[in-house]
């Protein structure tokens, strides 16, 4: 079964990997991810761990026709996808932009495309999308704590079953992240963050 473009809407999460979005679209249509991936012509094999399991940090780069297809499948404007997906504008020599109008794709590992990737918080994802599914997002090392739910989100490149560590009993971890974000904002000229870190920055 191939879903009709635009039948159901799946909005990308900010800084989500394209591979993660494709998996969520498949889930929305009641398909396995590999069934939906058959809509593209692939020029490489899905990255896997040495033990054989598929890597959660696998990323997808699409040609022009492939990006148009993805936009149609998730029912979202391409400019919205371009703002949300860090890999959207990345090209790959293996996937010519034109290629006769055929939707084509190539696998890469997420960290080699636009920086390190980590699992997203499933509780936050459920709150925003209404479904409890795995999400993988580009996430710098200093912003891995979900402050709302007290979860330290783990790297998505490790061959292990866990997505997060429970740090609810360690409130200082979330507090340290808030202070660090505020300090980085001040260094970049953006002023104090909403967490009120201006008082903390005065001690530096």
């Amino acid at each position: 079964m191939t879903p009709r473009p635009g039948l159901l809407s799946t909005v990308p999460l900010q800084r989500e990997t394209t591979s993660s979005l494709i998996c969520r679209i498949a889930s929305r249509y009641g398909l396995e991810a590999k069934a939906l991936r058959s809509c593209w012509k692939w020029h490489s094999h899905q990255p896997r761990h040495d033990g054989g399991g598929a890597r959660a940090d696998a990323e997808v780069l699409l040609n022009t026709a492939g990006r148009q297809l993805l936009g149609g499948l998730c029912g979202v404007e391409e400019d919205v996808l371009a703002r949300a997906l860090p890999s959207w504008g990345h090209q790959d020599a293996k996937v010519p932009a034109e290629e006769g109008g055929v939707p084509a794709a190539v696998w890469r590992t997420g960290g080699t495309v636009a920086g390190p990737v980590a699992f997203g918080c499933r509780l936050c994802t459920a709150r925003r999308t209404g479904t409890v599914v795995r999400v993988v997002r580009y996430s710098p090392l200093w912003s891995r704590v979900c402050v709302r739910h007290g979860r330290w989100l783990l790297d998505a490149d490790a061959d292990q079953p866990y997505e997060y560590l429970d740090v609810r009993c360690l409130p200082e971890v979330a507090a340290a992240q808030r202070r660090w974000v505020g300090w980085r904002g001040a260094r970049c000229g953006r002023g104090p963050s909403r967490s009120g870190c201006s008082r903390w920055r005065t001690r530096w």
Side-chain angles (χ1 to χ4, degrees):
M1 169 188 170
T2 300
R4 281 207 319 268
L7 184 61
L8 295 172
S9 177
T10 305
V11 179
L13 300 177
Q14 195 62 32
R15 301 194 63 76
E16 186 174 7
T17 66
T18 301
S19 176
S20 173
L21 177 60
I22 290 174
C23 290
R24 289 201 299 116
I25 295 171
S27 176
R28 183 87 164 151
Y29 284 105
L31 300 172
E32 291 187 13
K34 63 181 180 181
L36 186 62
R37 289 197 294 261
S38 66
C39 296
W40 287 269
K41 176 183 178 182
W42 293 87
H43 290 263
S44 61
H45 297 289
Q46 184 175 8
R48 310 187 76 81
H49 291 291
D50 293 338
R55 292 179 61 123
D57 69 336
E59 179 58 302
V60 174
L61 300 182
L62 307 173
N63 69 350
T64 302
R67 291 194 293 270
Q68 292 171 349
L69 174 61
L70 182 63
L73 288 172
C74 64
V76 175
E77 299 283 342
E78 286 191 47
D79 61 335
V80 174
L81 292 169
R83 288 194 298 271
L85 306 177
S87 68
W88 187 256
H90 286 259
Q91 302 294 325
D92 193 285
K94 286 190 175 182
V95 188
E98 300 306 323
E99 196 160 356
V102 176
V106 64
W107 287 105
R108 291 288 177 262
T109 50
T112 64
V113 176
V117 293
F119 293 106
C121 174
R122 290 198 186 218
L123 296 178
C124 287
T125 300
R127 182 170 174 265
R128 294 170 184 167
T129 68
T131 57
V132 182
V133 293
R134 187 180 78 176
V135 170
V136 179
R137 301 172 61 243
Y138 287 94
S139 177
L141 298 176
W142 46 266
S143 64
R144 296 293 175 84
V145 177
C146 172
V147 176
R148 179 185 296 273
H149 299 111
R151 293 180 167 187
W152 187 312
L153 304 169
L154 300 176
D155 291 347
D157 63 350
D159 187 11
Q160 43 84 19
Y162 304 106
E163 297 181 8
Y164 67 91
L165 299 177
D166 189 337
V167 293
R168 286 175 296 177
C169 61
L170 299 171
E172 59 270 25
V173 174
Q177 176 171 285
R178 284 194 293 265
R179 289 195 298 268
W180 176 243
V181 172
W183 181 70
R184 283 180 58 86
R187 289 282 301 269
C188 297
R190 292 194 297 267
S193 73
R194 293 172 57 190
S195 59
C197 297
S198 55
R199 293 190 300 275
W200 178 81
R201 290 198 312 277
T202 60
R203 297 201 295 271
W204 284 78

